[in-house]
Amino acid sequence: MAEEKKTTRKKIQAADTMNKIMSDYFYELNDAATTGKRKVAWCTSVGPAELLQALGFAVHFPENHAAMLGATRMSTDLIPAANAIGYSPDICSYLTADIGAYLKGITPLAKAYPGIQSVPKPDVLVYNTNQCRDVQDWMAWYSKKLGVPAIGVTSPKNVNEVTDAHIDDVTRQIEALVPTLEGIAGVKLDMARLRETVNLSRECTELWKQVLETAKASPAPLTFFDGTIHMGPAVVLRGTQRAVDYYKVLLAELEQRIRDGVGAVDGETSRIYWEGMPVWGRLRQHSELFANLKSTVLASTYCSSWIFPSFDGNDPIRSMAKAYLELFIVRSDRYKEEYIKEMIGKFRIDGIIYHDAKTCPYNSNSRYGLPGRVEADTGVPSLVISGDLNDLRCISDEQTKTNVEAFIEQIAEGR
Amino acid sequence: MKTPVFVGIDIGSSRTKVAVIDADRRLLGHSVRKSGTNFSATASTCLGESLETAGARREEIVHAVSTGYGRTNVDFVAAKSKTEIGCLSRWGRDRFSEAITIIDIGGQDNKVIKLDGEGRRASFKMNRKCAAGTGAFLEEMSLRLDIPLEAMDALARESTEMVKLGSYCTVFSATEVLENIRHGKKVPDIVKGLFYSVIKRVLEMDSHDGQVVMTGGVVAHNPYIVEMAGEMAGRPVVLPEYPQLAGAIGAALYALDETDPIGVRNQISAGETHG
């Protein structure tokens, strides 16, 4: 046969430590919900998690759960249940998968963590529309279904430069959440604890940034596919010492790889940037596809979305507002173009792959000519692949494979 | 005398194509068959036929490269696989010395490939996960209209008042076709409308730089599509010799590229001495 020997990316040893941390997190969350020892808040991924942590809530992240539904390839069977009650197949497949899972009484947590039977029942639902409007609609459905309040922040969109006016607006909105959250938590907000939480988030973010930037080395010691897994603690445990401790361990391992000249992919011949969401149900397949082509997908906008340099314990709420506003997804196309060009230089990128996710226009930056403009300015070739984060019905694996193989051929022949 | 030959095998979703070339890049033999359900067996049959037309024997194959949807299903020779985009580009680089845009209409994929003046691939695009504008679209319509595929070109040329089809979707287009039949539209006008739909979908995939060249089975059997494309694009469009074989020839050229030229020369001289 014409197939050559398969190559896979190297396992990161710290994964075992991370799995333990994540396991502890999910069991604590389950314990809070089943015993009532702690109140449970659901929070969208870049919502005011620091505030919730400081008020003592156990925090569940529905987007994290939806990504698990995707990674376990359960989502495609669950999405139709949400479609059937009126949620279009064209809207966020995180939302439809998660609501579908609820309707069917299914969760991947039950299989991964014996003893857990369902997602933790919330006492409050908190969103920030900095991601998209869909998160607000998502929480609104649960609010009605479960009879718990949904409160949140409505962020400005297409922000070019984050100004004081933007920050003032979001600061006021976060402050306005406090009385309601205090009422549900049954405690007053302890500003010292909030400062400490924000400082821990800052520390977590700095370490996560250093982790991602190890990929500047040649060969790169980690890939985008590793990043999507290892960002778990940065997503669900930012603001905690555990996340900080974990990234110190991970960083040490990657720095050792650099010293030893060990790449995540053997014989790295091209360096690729991934723009857009991962295809959660195809992480392994995509990882192997690139590894077999001796190509490393080593940096991404997505994994870098958990870097928040503006967190500052000296001015916690305002710095939270600024950090949430500086998120890539909130920004203007002009900002995004400059950002991607900076990443091309920083990571010495040979080619960019834009994932046009059918149900996530907010994270698909290939629809308004941006790839062509970046390519014209940098000369770095790009490829747009059609797919989706969670709905595998939107994917043609064969077309993805042919496109990626042809793209890597093109890069190799262009040298 | 032993003649070293190089083979390209293009196993597409619809047709399998094999091309046999010599060390001077001349096409010696070729074969095209429906891919069917046993890609490997079809490829083997095509290889046998193309070697026969080339007047060559299996042991004279120096190297082979496979491409296309079934590129990993070749088990009769230790072939290296390349993408069809790569092979079409390799073919274009060999045939043209200026910047070109290759528009390939395949069974399930359309491709627009741009080569710069030095024959380097500048960019490429494939159709999204949709059959609009592909050979599969025409096959579906041929079934709906009960008209053999090979009769479509002549029918389209008879059209006096083309029917325009608006939908992106193959299935919805079929409904539109039936609606036009109900309204008494003439078959040649509908067939020309189908051709127009194919060209429109393909031309709108990308901009077109340099000389425009069309390849693939659809244009091989329906050259009127190329003429119409030229009219619609407002510029001449080239229909090369053997448009359906472009990918297979490109694969054969890769096979030649990957061969040690000294080894080939030695083989030629060995053949001349002992053949």
Side-chain angles (χ1 to χ4, degrees):
Chain A
M1 290 293 204
E3 281 290 77
E4 290 167 14
K5 184 175 169 284
K6 292 213 181 290
T7 311
T8 51
R9 73 179 198 273
K10 291 187 185 66
K11 185 177 185 277
I12 291 178
Q13 300 306 318
D16 295 339
T17 306
M18 186 194 68
N19 291 339
K20 173 74 172 63
I21 292 169
M22 295 299 278
S23 171
D24 290 348
Y25 160 72
F26 285 116
Y27 278 116
E28 283 169 21
L29 202 49
N30 187 60
D31 186 57
T34 54
T35 64
K37 282 182 202 160
R38 288 169 71 193
K39 298 289 183 185
V40 174
W42 287 15
C43 185
T44 58
S45 63
V46 190
E50 286 72 17
L51 186 60
L52 298 169
Q53 302 270 18
L55 281 162
F57 284 99
V59 188
H60 168 76
F61 292 85
E63 284 151 277
N64 173 253
H65 186 250
M68 290 173 80
L69 290 166
T72 51
R73 290 175 295 283
M74 297 164 77
S75 53
T76 308
D77 292 332
L78 300 171
I79 289 165
N83 299 154
I85 62 163
Y87 287 86
S88 163
D90 292 336
I91 65 159
C92 173
S93 60
Y94 268 2
L95 181 163
T96 49
D98 189 61
I99 289 180
Y102 186 87
L103 290 170
K104 292 200 164 197
I106 289 171
T107 174
L109 295 173
K111 193 175 177 193
Y113 306 104
I116 296 181
Q117 288 172 349
S118 68
V119 290
K121 187 179 179 306
D123 296 291
V124 64
L125 307 154
V126 187
Y127 60 82
N128 186 340
T129 63
N130 53 1
Q131 304 275 25
C132 55
R133 68 159 274 170
D134 300 48
V135 294
Q136 187 175 359
D137 292 272
W138 189 351
M139 295 305 105
W141 185 83
Y142 280 111
S143 177
K144 194 165 182 187
K145 186 80 183 170
L146 304 173
V148 292
I151 55 173
V153 174
T154 306
S155 285
K157 295 277 164 44
N158 301 318
V159 174
N160 192 41
E161 189 185 339
V162 177
T163 64
D164 282 345
H166 291 123
I167 301 168
D168 290 346
D169 172 21
V170 174
T171 301
R172 274 195 294 268
Q173 292 192 58
I174 297 172
E175 286 169 347
L177 301 176
V178 173
T180 307
L181 293 172
E182 284 178 334
I184 295 165
V187 294
K188 294 295 282 181
L189 177 63
D190 178 345
M191 286 306 285
R193 191 169 173 193
L194 181 62
R195 281 194 188 91
E196 185 190 345
T197 307
V198 168
N199 279 336
L200 284 168
S201 271
R202 169 68 186 260
E203 209 177 333
C204 171
T205 222
E206 281 173 356
L207 285 161
W208 179 237
K209 185 179 182 195
Q210 287 176 54
V211 162
L212 293 178
E213 292 198 345
T214 60
K216 289 193 288 187
S218 288
L222 92 163
T223 70
F224 163 64
F225 306 105
D226 298 308
T228 59
I229 306 301
H230 288 267
M231 69 186 219
V235 176
V236 301
L237 287 166
R238 68 172 206 264
T240 70
Q241 187 64 43
R242 274 185 289 181
V244 170
D245 292 343
Y246 174 65
Y247 288 119
K248 286 178 182 168
V249 172
L250 177 60
L251 182 61
E253 182 178 343
L254 296 171
E255 285 175 340
Q256 186 61 46
R257 276 193 179 181
I258 293 173
R259 283 192 292 275
D260 296 343
V262 173
V265 170
D266 278 335
E268 172 185 298
T269 55
S270 58
R271 297 165 64 85
I272 305 297
Y273 188 86
W274 184 283
E275 215 308 297
M277 297 287 287
V279 184
W280 286 109
R282 293 286 182 265
L283 282 184
R284 176 181 289 188
Q285 199 171 323
H286 288 174
S287 169
E288 288 178 358
L289 173 62
F290 285 97
N292 281 326
L293 296 166
K294 300 202 179 304
S295 180
T296 315
V297 184
L298 53 89
S300 70
T301 315
Y302 182 71
C303 291
S304 301
S305 295
W306 276 267
I307 296 172
F308 305 103
S310 289
F311 280 133
D312 180 359
N314 294 319
D315 192 1
I317 293 184
R318 194 172 169 79
S319 75
M320 283 159 60
K322 186 165 187 277
Y324 304 156
L325 272 164
E326 286 173 343
L327 195 67
F328 178 87
I329 195 170
V330 185
R331 311 301 287 275
S332 67
D333 263 24
R334 194 165 62 163
Y335 171 89
K336 288 175 180 173
E337 270 178 54
E338 292 308 312
Y339 176 88
I340 292 169
K341 284 192 270 187
E342 188 188 329
M343 294 301 117
I344 289 171
K346 182 187 270 190
F347 291 97
R348 286 170 288 113
I349 295 299
D350 298 309
I352 308 177
I353 292 183
Y354 293 85
H355 172 204
D356 186 340
K358 169 77 173 165
T359 71
C360 189
Y362 305 95
N363 263 315
S364 297
N365 289 303
S366 54
R367 298 183 179 184
Y368 295 94
L370 186 146
R373 293 194 294 275
V374 171
E375 191 168 329
D377 285 355
T378 62
V380 173
S382 59
L383 170 73
V384 179
I385 58 167
S386 299
D388 193 55
L389 47 159
N390 259 10
D391 191 344
L392 300 180
R393 296 171 301 181
C394 304
I395 293 163
S396 165
D397 288 322
E398 185 58 30
Q399 283 202 325
T400 303
K401 185 167 181 271
T402 299
N403 268 308
V404 168
E405 287 182 359
F407 186 57
I408 303 302
E409 273 178 3
Q410 178 186 335
I411 289 169
E413 289 172 7
R415 286 207 173 97
Chain B
M1 189 178 94
K2 197 172 181 185
T3 309
V5 294
F6 306 85
V7 174
I9 307 138
D10 178 2
I11 306 180
S13 62
S14 174
R15 300 288 190 278
T16 292
K17 291 79 67 176
V18 172
V20 177
I21 64 170
D22 66 12
D24 292 321
R25 310 193 327 275
R26 287 179 301 215
L27 181 66
L28 302 180
H30 55 86
S31 172
V32 178
R33 276 181 175 266
K34 275 192 175 174
S35 294
T37 53
N38 188 337
F39 290 169
S40 180
T42 307
S44 192
T45 304
C46 284
L47 178 72
E49 288 173 354
S50 56
L51 285 171
E52 197 177 329
T53 55
R57 290 168 291 162
R58 279 194 182 221
E59 52 271 28
E60 290 169 342
I61 300 172
V62 178
H63 190 32
V65 165
S66 64
T67 188
Y69 180 73
R71 60 188 174 276
T72 58
N73 294 80
V74 183
D75 57 6
F76 56 84
V77 62
K80 189 171 179 181
S81 71
K82 289 270 185 185
T83 65
E84 51 267 49
I85 291 157
C87 291
L88 285 165
S89 305
R90 181 64 191 87
W91 168 85
R93 188 165 84 231
D94 188 69
R95 295 292 190 269
F96 298 87
S97 54
E98 73 268 42
I100 60 167
T101 298
I102 301 170
I103 298 176
D104 184 81
I105 306 179
Q108 71 170 11
D109 296 325
N110 291 330
K111 304 166 199 82
V112 178
I113 306 163
K114 294 182 188 180
L115 304 185
D116 65 18
E118 269 112 47
R120 281 191 303 256
R121 222 182 311 172
S123 69
F124 69 87
K125 272 190 189 167
M126 281 176 76
N127 58 312
R128 296 187 298 166
K129 201 181 74 172
C130 171
T134 66
F137 171 76
L138 285 182
E139 284 188 342
E140 169 69 16
M141 296 306 163
S142 136
L143 283 171
R144 293 276 182 152
L145 293 168
D146 199 18
I147 298 169
L149 271 171
E150 54 273 20
M152 281 191 158
D153 198 72
L155 269 175
R157 288 175 193 272
E158 290 172 19
S159 168
T160 53
E161 196 179 350
M162 186 181 79
V163 167
K164 277 199 179 180
L165 303 167
S167 179
Y168 252 129
C169 169
T170 299
V171 175
F172 288 175
S173 291
T175 312
E176 278 190 73
V177 164
L178 295 177
E179 187 187 6
N180 278 290
I181 290 170
R182 275 199 300 116
H183 286 111
K185 297 287 182 187
K186 291 179 194 154
V187 171
D189 294 336
I190 294 173
V191 173
K192 187 170 179 183
L194 295 174
F195 279 16
Y196 180 84
S197 171
V198 167
I199 301 159
K200 197 164 182 316
R201 293 289 95 86
V202 174
L203 288 181
E204 67 198 11
M205 279 171 63
D206 205 346
S207 60
H208 311 109
D209 302 330
Q211 178 69 64
V212 179
V213 184
M214 291 187 86
T215 59
V218 168
V219 297
H221 297 289
N222 302 285
Y224 189 43
I225 283 184
V226 180
E227 290 172 38
M228 286 176 70
E231 283 167 26
M232 286 166 67
R235 59 197 300 181
V237 173
V238 173
L239 177 65
E241 197 177 15
Y242 306 115
Q244 196 169 15
L245 292 173
I249 294 170
L253 289 166
Y254 265 130
L256 177 59
D257 293 344
E258 289 173 355
T259 305
D260 170 20
I262 297 166
V264 175
R265 269 202 300 277
N266 289 344
Q267 205 171 336
I268 292 170
S269 43
E272 282 167 352
T273 311
H274 307 293

